[in-house]
Amino acid sequence: MKRIAMIGLSAVLLAALAACGGGAADNEKKTLNVGATQVPHAEILEHVKPQLEKEGIQLKIKVFQDYVLPNKAVEQGELDANFFQHRPWMEATNEEQGWHLKKVTGVHIEPMGAYSEKIDKLSQLKDGATVALPNATSEMTRVLLLLDKEGLIQLDNRKGDKTLKNIEENPKKLDFKPLEAATLPRVLDQVDIAVINTNYALQANLDPQKDALFLEDSDSPYVNILAAKEGNEDSEAIQKLSEALNSPEVKKFIEKKYKGAVVPAFD
């Protein structure tokens, strides 16, 4: 009888431990690790944290200062998702690195702009002026299309990826300096113009609406997206984050906080 009682007690204890273990696993599943650049992505994620907590999801945000590591971390499973990039960048890095990231949803557009500490308007730009721009292929394509639209250069055509070799006409003989995107605000005093991603401009306390010599149109195809590794994009937690990022509350938050420097890309 004692032996039977001990077996029964052991079974109860094992069941209790299993229940505790299952609870821990459930809690772990409800933790969502997302990488982002600081402005505006991490700020927007912070805004949706309380909503996700109500739905049983603990959102943990890891801030990055570059455009490569957030994708690598998702590919390697260190993060569940990231929010910092547009689709052309994601697809280019997938192709270059053999990664498998997928778009979950579009959130906003950050119109890229040209900034200067030496001139106040584009008509003041002198022949031979130095122009700093991002060195990554998809970002350089975006900038060259913008410069072409502003009439500073003429490209051979407006299709596909572009490099400096695709410049057909350069009437002002501009001197182009490709640099890492994050460094562009720091070289403003060393160049005549720098074409800067809005997230880095905002981090440098530049106001795109007031300080930019010119900006992309709001119909830019470069919508910033929530991305996850293929096979994980439809998980319940990521879909709840997607819904939160596309909510009316987030739209109001973006419009009020960024005042046109960041534009919602959803209805």
Side-chain angles (χ1 to χ4, degrees):
M1 290 295 293
K2 287 183 179 179
R3 186 177 179 184
I4 293 172
M6 288 298 293
I7 291 173
L9 180 60
S10 297
V12 171
L13 288 172
L14 286 172
L17 287 171
C20 290
D26 289 343
N27 288 337
E28 187 176 350
K29 288 178 183 177
K30 293 179 183 178
T31 298
L32 196 59
N33 296 294
V34 180
T37 45
Q38 182 61 55
V39 182
H41 308 86
E43 293 176 345
I44 295 172
L45 289 172
E46 287 287 350
H47 182 73
V48 302
K49 254 188 175 182
Q51 176 60 38
L52 291 172
E53 286 177 3
K54 291 178 183 177
E55 299 186 47
I57 297 171
Q58 182 184 9
L59 180 61
K60 292 187 177 180
I61 304 163
K62 183 174 181 179
V63 175
F64 291 84
Q65 296 298 327
D66 75 298
Y67 288 167
V68 177
L69 293 177
N71 278 344
K72 183 178 181 181
V74 171
E75 175 68 22
Q76 294 180 345
E78 297 169 10
L79 295 174
D80 299 299
N82 63 42
F83 175 39
F84 77 98
Q85 65 191 323
H86 50 64
R87 190 167 188 166
W89 175 267
M90 181 191 72
E91 291 176 347
T93 54
N94 276 346
E95 184 175 348
E96 291 168 6
Q97 302 292 338
W99 292 342
H100 308 85
L101 276 71
K102 299 276 287 184
K103 172 187 173 182
V104 179
T105 190
V107 181
H108 69 268
I109 298 168
E110 299 174 21
M112 185 172 276
Y115 301 84
S116 177
E117 291 185 358
K118 297 183 179 179
I119 62 174
D120 299 316
K121 50 188 178 182
L122 199 55
S123 60
Q124 297 172 343
L125 189 65
K126 297 179 180 179
D127 289 356
T130 303
V131 179
L133 69 168
N135 60 4
T137 302
S138 63
E139 295 299 274
M140 183 176 289
T141 298
R142 185 179 180 185
V143 172
L144 292 177
L145 290 171
L146 178 59
L147 295 177
D148 177 85
K149 187 174 182 179
E150 292 294 325
L152 291 175
I153 61 171
Q154 183 176 326
L155 295 170
D156 50 9
N157 63 72
R158 293 179 62 83
K159 297 178 181 179
D161 290 336
K162 298 298 172 189
T163 69
L164 297 176
K165 294 179 180 179
N166 294 107
I167 297 176
E168 199 166 70
E169 294 185 20
N170 182 8
K172 284 186 172 288
K173 296 181 173 55
L174 300 174
D175 180 19
F176 296 101
K177 301 291 185 185
L179 300 168
E180 289 289 335
T183 69
L184 291 168
R186 300 198 293 269
V187 302
L188 266 179
D189 60 343
Q190 303 168 39
V191 299
D192 295 290
I193 286 181
V195 187
I196 305 174
N197 300 78
T198 291
N199 60 312
Y200 291 130
L202 293 173
Q203 283 180 234
N205 295 318
L206 293 167
D207 185 332
Q209 294 298 315
K210 295 179 181 178
D211 299 328
L213 297 171
F214 55 85
L215 284 170
E216 282 178 312
D217 294 334
S218 59
D219 62 353
S220 165
Y222 293 91
V223 174
N224 280 220
I225 62 173
L226 175 68
K229 189 171 182 180
E230 186 175 4
N232 195 37
E233 70 270 25
D234 293 325
S235 72
E236 182 181 359
I238 288 177
Q239 285 301 310
K240 284 185 177 180
L241 173 57
S242 173
E243 291 170 9
L245 289 172
N246 284 173
S247 67
E249 290 76 17
V250 165
K251 184 176 181 180
K252 291 177 183 177
F253 172 78
I254 291 173
E255 292 172 340
K256 182 177 180 180
K257 184 172 180 64
Y258 303 110
K259 298 178 173 62
V262 179
V263 182
F266 57 91
D267 296 327

